[in-house]
Amino acid sequence: MSERLLWVGTYTPGSEPEGKGAGVYTARLDTRTGELTGGGAAIGAVGPSFLALHPDGNRLLAVAERADGGIACFALGAGGPAGPLWQAGTGGGSPCHVLAHPAGRHAIAANYADGSVSVHALDGPAPGEAVARITHTGSGPVADRQAGPHAHSTALAPGGRHLLIADLGTDELRCHPFDPDRADPVGPAGTAARLPAGTGPRHIAVHPSGHIYVAGELDARVHVLRWDPRTARARPVAAVPASGSAGTAYPGEIALSPAGDRLYVSLRGLDAVAAFAVQDGGAALSHLADAPTGGAWPRHFALADGHLVAANQNSGTLTALPLDPETGVPGEPVSELEVPDPVCVLSAAD
């Protein structure tokens, strides 16, 4: 395939924070040249700042990042996106992440403002219904960012039987058993790991080896942990600077290459993406390079057929960076596409 469809989430009027986007946009990546084309609004929505594809590839999930948080599910077809199949409230404020469970029966939204997490039915007699809502208390030492819990993202722990919640406000990886075959899929609360005070865990990447990588937004480090399925705990193994460059970095997205041998972290403030070699069976990271994205404030990125496509929020651009086939290091941007306030970019092949 020489062309890859991309979905782009934006900030819009009415979202928090507000932006100039009109909803969910589409773009296309030429996987031979890295050229980006398109960039038009495809789905009108308020604050679709994070997106996820249903495992069947025929439905797109989007949060509504606003004070009265919401989530929506859109049908995708050959003729383009249809109207929403359903829309629902999350019961929390400012949802900033959505996870489509691989079993295909639940969507999980992280509500940043109050730290809650809502679990929504994707199928059955009441799609969109919240079948569980997880709340939390606590705080951290960074007064202006950690006055209370702030659920920033969720992921499935190695083995897929536990839901991890990265809580930026309490410096925790919260943990719940999760069984998609149950009417109430969420089990009792636990803590998989307490990270150093002031870490600000934001996003999570999970390695097939059983290692977990956490981007610390506040301490600008990548934390490596080893999952123990018997205890549902994650033991700290290492922590490395998220950047090899001078200056202040605010890590955002973190993702592994398909082969699991490279790890990438977006660096807001430095306007770059850091590349790491994954070593020692997943237990160690070796910094390779900080690659400028060619835009300002890269939030999220997609890995697509030998390219990294970055959503540069403050410059209002998507940029495509080719990945060196030998080193995995992103090269200089080869293409740029204007999209207002892009926050998330998702490859249709993900």
Side-chain angles (χ1 to χ4, degrees), residues 34-48:
E35 182 182 6
L36 293 165
T37 56
I43 300 173
V46 175

Side-chain angles (χ1 to χ4, degrees), residues 166 173 195 199-205 212-216 221-225 254:
L173 278 188
L195 296 166
T199 293
R202 180 183 173 95
H203 280 197
I204 304 167
I212 298 168
Y213 309 104
V214 181
R221 298 178 73 82
V222 178
H223 296 261
V224 185
L225 305 99
I254 184 168

